[in-house]
Amino acid sequence: MCGIIGYVGHRKVVPLLLDGLRRLEYRGYDSAGVTVIRDGELVTVRAEGKLDRLVERLAGEPVDGSHGLGHTRWATHGPPLERNAHPMVDARSRLALIHNGIIENFLPLKRRLIAEGWEFSSDTDTEVVANLVSSYLDEEGDLRGAVARATRELEGLFAFALVSISGEREIVAYRQGPPLVLGIGERETFLASDPAALLTYTKDVVFLENGDLARLTEDGLEIQDASGEAVERESHRLLWDPIQAEKGGYKHFMLKEIHEQPQAIQDTFGGRVDFETGEVGFDYFSLDPEEAGAIREVHLLACGTSLHAGLVGKFLIEELARLPVQVDYGSEYRYRDPIVNEGTLAIGVSQSGETADTLSAMEAAKERGARLLAVCNVLGSQATRIAEGVVYTHAGPEIGVASTKAFTTQLVALYLVALYLRQQRGLPIGPEIVADLAHLPGAVDEALQQEGAIEEMARKYHLEEDFLYLGRGINYPIALEGALKLKEISYIHAEGYPAGEMKHGPIALIDQQLPVVNIATGDKVFEKMLGNMQEVKARDGAVIAVTDRDPSELEEIADEVLRVPRLSDHLQPIVNVVPLQLLAYFVGVRRGADVDQPRNLAKSVTVE
Ligand code: AGP
């Protein structure tokens, strides 16, 4: 939702804060700001709009100091104006605060503070926290004490960090929900919402738990847990390198990440499959045969693109592990009263591991007695901490807001989970089931070779205002995903539909203005898909086909053919989505959309 960065140490503070914010801008880009402590004073510079506006502002009025905070915002309370930008300074100019999340009870607190004489200059819930902490500074005697006291009155999910003019070279931070990661260097410490912002400076990080209050100084970290007890949190060594978090010569992170898929897929199944025997194993997830035998059903819980991965996962687990699967949006599951018991295996699927709706659904399943597994891409994220087991996707940092390599690696991870459940439930396994996995990176790489043809297609269709995506069976979720990619990147209205449903309504939409993308691979339903394409053609719709067949089989029907290599039915969706990702990307670019940071979106939606 928002990007948070903080630093205490010997380096020049502002350049480091801006560098960190650049890497966090995908988390929100309505406004940005920094505060440094210079000669015992708060110096705060903020700007509306993208980070570049702040950089320009700072170029005109250079500042630096001994330590400080930076923030890039995705507005929740108050329009994205400078007065609502973070860092927020309290009314007595004694401290500055940056915040990610939502304070649900900010209004009664604001009224109380106003009655006590505190003035406000913004519409935000954040400023309430700044004044609340400041109101306790004198009584508590130090910043950490004042923060501890204030947090006891706050409701909601939030993470924040503060600096003050107390004379101490310190940052105080608190986490209750959205992520906070602390970096440890040589006589310097760092704070960020995402480890990718720290990669250039340190790979040694600590993830705060919910309820943790931390104090960062040049000498290191002091952390106390929700009960106020001093604790040591486990240190992790990040495996990512800074280059991975850069664009690597691509115009956008999204295109880079689309092209990283062969490697990311390889990294996700590597070391987990014995291609001789077909056996599968994980580092952080295991069920013995008895536990696996006790599972009666699987609940897949996710949002957005990850939900589409869950819909593919349903086919994989039902067909390979012979377990019934239900798939649910996190935002829906948490508010219905799902039937869950100890025979339920709930699997939260999340790239960030911080999506509030998915986390709440996972908690809801766990409270009702389900076993809980997370399929996640971010080390140490909240989803990985509340689950008893984790199957990490090894996609590396995904910076583009549109999820691409995270999606295909989620499909690989769910395929491995399905095979593992099959194996542990005593169903027959063997090398033939996993054989195609070895060909998958190459098949995805082959699909990427269509880039030129797809860029050409984008030129032809980029002015259309509506698209329809059709698929059947395991390709229906890919139709949904292709539509989501297009709409979130290019702002074109796009819908995914089960192709068999066309005659029950959507066929009324077909006319010469409506391009229809048809995913027609494999043998099971190819003829049916052919029928759908003929229906579209007969009504002058533009027929775009994604197929593993020879294009000559479709030349009478399809206006465009995007060829993909053929794999087993279970792995085919992973290849089929690649041309759809490229189509969304090039249409978005041609329409001049901000592909890596689409309007109104954020990479990780850590609030409801
Ligand atoms: C997909 O391109 C979007 N970025 C969005 O739908 C995303 O998949 C969704 O918000 C879930 O995020 P998560 O995987 O981090 O939980």
Side-chain angles (χ1 to χ4, degrees):
M1 287 299 295
C2 296
I4 282 182
I5 182 88
Y7 178 70
V8 185
H10 47 79
R11 301 174 198 250
K12 288 183 73 61
V13 180
V14 170
L16 185 144
L17 296 179
L18 292 177
D19 176 59
L21 290 180
R22 185 67 69 194
R23 292 203 174 97
L24 294 168
E25 200 175 9
Y26 68 91
R27 295 176 64 89
Y29 28 88
D30 294 318
S31 57
V34 294
T35 290
V36 295
I37 304 296
R38 179 179 62 190
D39 307 329
E41 291 301 315
L42 288 173
V43 179
T44 298
V45 179
R46 304 179 302 179
E48 287 174 36
K50 291 275 179 82
L51 184 57
D52 289 341
R53 303 291 78 71
L54 177 64
V55 172
E56 287 160 13
R57 177 82 50 94
L58 285 162
E61 41 183 295
V63 294
D64 213 348
S66 59
H67 56 296
L69 302 171
H71 185 272
T72 183
R73 183 171 182 243
W74 188 69
T76 49
H77 289 75
L81 301 172
E82 183 174 338
R83 74 165 188 273
N84 292 328
H86 303 201
M88 280 289 155
V89 174
D90 73 296
R92 295 181 188 167
S93 299
R94 302 197 286 182
L95 58 87
L97 180 145
I98 54 179
H99 165 223
N100 181 16
I102 288 181
I103 309 297
E104 294 181 358
N105 62 328
F106 84 99
L107 273 178
L109 289 170
K110 185 168 185 175
R111 287 191 206 103
R112 191 189 85 194
L113 288 162
I114 289 170
E116 292 170 3
W118 289 85
E119 290 179 5
F120 288 82
S121 59
S122 82
D123 316 305
T124 65
D125 53 348
T126 308
E127 191 181 12
V128 172
V129 183
N131 280 341
L132 186 64
V133 173
S134 185
S135 72
Y136 291 134
L137 260 183
D138 299 331
E139 280 177 65
E140 295 299 324
D142 66 16
L143 187 58
R144 179 166 48 183
V147 172
R149 173 110 176 251
T151 52
R152 289 197 283 274
E153 297 185 64
L154 301 177
E155 293 167 16
L157 293 176
F158 45 86
F160 48 71
L162 302 89
V163 290
S164 78
I165 57 171
S166 65
E168 293 282 337
R169 288 171 62 121
E170 65 177 359
I171 292 174
V172 172
Y174 180 81
R175 179 204 179 167
Q176 182 59 42
L180 271 184
V181 58
L182 309 185
I184 306 142
E186 194 56 43
R187 297 205 54 69
E188 58 185 1
T189 49
F190 307 79
L191 167 107
S193 347
D194 179 329
L198 305 180
L199 279 170
T200 309
Y201 309 101
T202 181
K203 293 192 177 186
D204 296 315
V205 298
V206 164
F207 294 90
L208 289 186
E209 304 271 355
N210 279 341
D212 281 359
L213 181 65
R215 179 171 179 265
L216 292 77
T217 66
E218 287 172 312
D219 300 326
L221 310 176
E222 298 161 36
I223 301 173
Q224 61 191 60
D225 65 13
S227 66
E229 289 300 309
V231 289
E232 290 283 324
R233 292 299 177 207
E234 185 189 356
S235 175
H236 298 268
R237 185 139 182 83
L238 291 174
L239 302 178
W240 297 342
D241 64 45
I243 303 300
Q244 276 186 295
E246 292 304 327
K247 289 183 186 170
Y250 286 93
K251 189 175 176 193
H252 296 103
F253 279 113
M254 183 178 174
L255 187 58
K256 169 176 173 269
E257 288 151 10
I258 288 172
H259 281 274
E260 286 178 332
Q261 291 182 111
Q263 186 58 54
I265 288 166
Q266 172 82 43
D267 293 346
T268 298
F269 70 70
R272 292 169 160 172
V273 179
D274 179 336
F275 283 95
E276 307 272 303
T277 63
E279 279 179 282
V280 172
F282 302 105
D283 301 336
Y284 304 103
F285 171 52
S286 67
L287 293 171
D288 63 32
E290 188 185 345
E291 290 173 307
I295 293 171
R296 290 285 171 271
E297 66 166 348
V298 174
H299 291 185
L300 284 166
L301 311 171
C303 301
T305 284
S306 299
L307 184 283
H308 299 155
L311 290 171
V312 175
K314 173 181 171 70
F315 285 90
L316 302 175
I317 294 170
E318 287 188 344
E319 291 174 15
L320 292 169
R322 306 309 296 153
L323 278 168
V325 178
Q326 58 172 284
V327 187
D328 222 329
Y329 288 101
S331 54
E332 289 297 310
Y333 189 85
R334 60 185 298 192
Y335 291 114
R336 61 182 179 82
D337 192 6
I339 309 297
V340 179
N341 54 46
E342 65 286 347
T344 306
L345 172 63
I347 305 177
V349 183
S350 175
Q351 187 286 131
S352 63
E354 300 296 349
T355 299
D357 288 329
T358 303
L359 293 174
S360 300
M362 291 171 72
E363 294 282 9
K366 188 175 178 181
E367 284 156 16
R368 291 168 170 79
R371 313 274 318 245
L372 189 58
L373 169 65
V375 170
C376 185
N377 193 46
V378 177
L379 180 75
S381 59
Q382 189 61 5
T384 68
R385 308 147 99 76
I386 62 177
E388 64 181 276
V390 183
V391 174
Y392 280 106
T393 49
H394 296 153
E398 185 175 72
I399 309 302
V401 164
S403 200
T404 50
K405 62 178 182 174
F407 175 67
T408 48
T409 53
Q410 284 168 347
L411 297 188
V412 172
L414 288 168
Y415 180 66
L416 297 178
V417 167
L419 289 175
Y420 183 72
L421 291 171
R422 176 186 180 87
Q423 162 186 300
Q424 293 310 91
R425 288 166 56 79
L427 298 174
I429 62 169
E432 67 288 346
I433 289 188
V434 295
D436 253 4
L437 210 42
H439 304 301
L440 182 57
V444 169
D445 193 58
E446 188 179 331
L448 287 166
Q449 305 317 308
Q450 300 265 338
E451 180 170 339
I454 294 168
E455 185 170 11
E456 195 47 44
M457 256 180 67
R459 195 192 309 274
K460 189 171 171 185
Y461 293 100
H462 75 280
L463 296 176
E464 300 296 348
E465 286 312 311
D466 295 286
F467 266 74
L468 192 57
Y469 287 71
L470 302 179
R472 287 176 182 257
I474 202 168
N475 280 324
Y476 163 45
I478 303 304
L480 294 174
E481 176 56 16
L484 175 60
K485 285 281 109 27
L486 187 70
K487 75 179 87 163
E488 68 174 325
I489 291 300
S490 69
Y491 317 144
I492 291 175
H493 172 250
E495 254 188 293
Y497 240 93
E501 275 295 296
M502 276 293 276
K503 52 193 174 294
H504 301 291
I507 199 163
L509 292 171
I510 307 298
D511 61 23
Q512 63 275 25
Q513 248 65 53
L514 184 73
V516 180
V517 179
N518 302 269
I519 306 163
T521 57
D523 297 328
K524 255 193 273 189
V525 289
F526 181 78
E527 297 308 321
K528 296 291 182 196
M529 286 305 298
L530 220 45
N532 287 115
M533 288 187 258
Q534 280 157 344
E535 287 164 3
V536 173
K537 190 76 188 165
R539 293 162 178 80
D540 298 331
V543 174
I544 299 170
V546 175
T547 184
D548 55 351
R549 298 296 181 96
D550 187 289
S552 62
E553 288 190 55
L554 295 171
E555 62 192 3
E556 297 300 312
I557 301 174
D559 299 285
E560 319 286 345
V561 176
L562 296 172
R563 191 106 193 303
V564 291
R566 179 151 195 172
L567 282 180
S568 67
D569 288 350
H570 292 141
L571 296 178
Q572 189 69 48
I574 299 171
V575 185
N576 293 349
V577 75
V578 172
L580 306 185
Q581 296 168 339
L582 289 168
L583 179 62
Y585 171 76
F586 285 111
V587 169
V589 168
R590 191 144 289 285
R591 288 170 70 104
D594 193 338
V595 170
D596 281 336
Q597 298 167 359
R599 67 186 181 196
N600 309 335
L601 290 178
K603 182 62 181 173
S604 174
V605 186
T606 55
V607 293
E608 283 185 45

